[in-house]
Amino acid sequence: MFQRHRAQQARFYRDLEAKLGRAQRNNRKRQVKSIHAKIANRRKDSLHKFSRAFVDRARRITVGDVSASAMAKTWMAKSVLDAGWSMLRGMLRYKCDHAGVGYAEVNEANTTRTCSSCGCLSGPTGLAGLSIRRWTCSDCGAEHDRDQNAAQNIARLGCETPCPSGHGSPGF
């Protein structure tokens, strides 16, 4: 029914962070600029390859509307920015348009807490609940992995969401 695909762990910035720091401390502006360009080019290349492979395998792609700019203000900022989520969404959008693949962005609020079996909102809540990776629905008794449950709910929401005109195949 649903498959989970992952990109390689993005470490474009972190791999060159020490070298960049040395260049910045030594006030080597040209080298700093070169390292930043190398990081950006590696990130773009990887995202292009991943998004192309993903679009080639899919008939419809549904993504959650995660706000990368909001996540960049948290303690995960370097990792979020290094992954290039917004850039990936943009690439998926235009490649889906070009390939005739359905593309939808859905509101992913409560997708980790909603039971994918019965639809009741019974998952763990609050900041303390974020550390709970497996939970059992209080209504139907189904056991859920937090990430897989969210992916199933996002996929279901994607099937319910019509593609905007001009975005992929409307017949899906």
Side-chain angles (χ1 to χ4, degrees):
M1 175 183 140
F2 113 97
Q3 290 181 323
R4 198 160 128 178
H5 300 284
R6 287 185 180 218
Q8 288 274 337
Q9 177 65 34
R11 295 187 51 87
F12 310 106
Y13 176 76
R14 298 216 185 226
D15 288 346
L16 292 172
E17 189 174 17
K19 190 174 182 180
L20 180 63
R22 281 192 302 274
Q24 287 172 331
R25 282 190 300 279
N26 293 331
N27 205 22
R28 295 184 178 150
K29 293 182 182 184
R30 188 177 297 160
Q31 187 179 13
V32 169
K33 189 175 180 179
S34 170
I35 293 170
H36 276 300
K38 182 181 273 191
I39 292 167
N41 288 337
R42 285 182 181 175
R43 181 180 300 117
K44 246 192 269 188
D45 180 59
S46 176
L47 291 176
H48 271 298
K49 288 176 180 175
F50 175 75
S51 61
R52 172 50 51 206
F54 204 63
V55 169
D56 287 345
R57 285 194 309 258
R59 289 187 352 211
R60 180 176 176 106
I61 295 176
T62 305
V63 295
D65 62 351
V66 175
S67 172
S69 59
M71 293 284 286
K73 295 176 184 169
T74 67
W75 60 272
M76 301 182 298
K78 281 185 187 176
S79 299
V80 169
L81 294 171
D82 210 15
W85 291 350
S86 296
M87 192 183 305
L88 177 62
R89 276 201 316 253
M91 288 179 184
L92 285 172
R93 188 179 306 115
Y94 81 77
K95 288 179 183 183
C96 285
D97 281 349
H98 188 262
V101 172
Y103 176 83
E105 284 186 26
V106 297
N107 181 2
E108 67 170 26
N110 295 321
T111 54
T112 59
R113 296 181 49 220
T114 303
C115 175
S116 58
S117 299
C118 68
C120 88
L121 192 63
S122 64
T125 61
L127 288 176
L130 291 175
S131 63
I132 299 171
R133 306 314 299 166
R134 297 193 64 75
W135 57 276
T136 304
C137 176
S138 59
D139 282 7
C140 68
E143 273 200 27
H144 298 289
D145 173 80
R146 184 181 191 92
D147 298 326
Q148 289 180 350
N149 181 61
Q152 288 174 341
N153 285 328
I154 290 170
R156 180 184 45 78
L157 288 170
C159 289
E160 295 169 0
T161 305
C163 291
S165 62
H167 288 279
S169 168
F172 183 81

